[in-house]
Amino acid sequence: QIHLVESGGGSAQAGGSLRLSCAASGGTFTSADAAVGWFRQAPGKEREAVAVIKIYAAGLKYYADSVKGRFTVSQDIGKATVYLLMDSLKPEDTAMYYCAAGVVSHSYIWDRPERYSYWGQGTQVTVSS
């Protein structure tokens, strides 16, 4: 059973930066297509995919169009931690951010929450204008 814990959320001004961390414990990723993704959900909105990194596939990454060029997902395998560096933050980035672990075998399914079996508890990000 993989346990995920997010940290690093908080408040920022528009144009600022925050870095989220997702620490994994309790198990290992055995699939060659193992991936850790970041999702977010704002009040009254559906959960949306933000970014994902494939743990073993040379760190292959996918990003939502809304964050491309502003957010960067990375990993430290030795620390079993995935990061989401968020630059040039906008008020519309305000949401609860979740990390999730699962298996992503094709690029066209990376953003589907049902592909992820393990979820963290979330960390709040609030961006003010």
Side-chain angles (χ1 to χ4, degrees), residues 5-12 17-23 38 82-86 89 97 121-126:
V5 178
E6 303 96 334
S7 61
S11 300
S17 300
L18 286 172
R19 190 180 78 159
L20 306 182
S21 300
C22 174
W38 287 96
V82 169
Y83 303 98
L84 183 68
L85 176 61
M86 305 183 293
L89 284 164
Y97 283 71
Q121 82 288 349
T123 186
Q124 178 68 37
V125 170
T126 302

Side-chain angles (χ1 to χ4, degrees), residues 17-108:
S17 300
L18 286 172
R19 190 180 78 159
L20 306 182
S21 300
C22 174
S25 63
T28 57
F29 298 109
T30 58
S31 170
D33 290 318
V36 174
W38 287 96
F39 291 76
R40 66 186 181 186
Q41 188 167 19
K45 295 188 177 181
E46 292 187 356
R47 186 170 297 190
E48 64 170 342
V50 175
V52 70
I53 184 167
K54 294 192 71 172
I55 302 301
Y56 302 122
L60 187 63
K61 304 171 186 178
Y62 303 107
Y63 294 95
D65 288 342
S66 59
V67 306
K68 279 181 182 176
R70 301 190 298 120
F71 290 11
T72 304
V73 62
S74 62
Q75 63 176 337
D76 185 331
I77 293 179
K79 294 183 178 180
T81 299
V82 169
Y83 303 98
L84 183 68
L85 176 61
M86 305 183 293
D87 293 321
S88 301
L89 284 164
K90 303 176 180 179
E92 51 264 43
D93 293 320
T94 296
M96 184 71 80
Y97 283 71
Y98 301 89
C99 72
V103 176
V104 176
S105 54
H106 296 92
S107 60
Y108 56 84

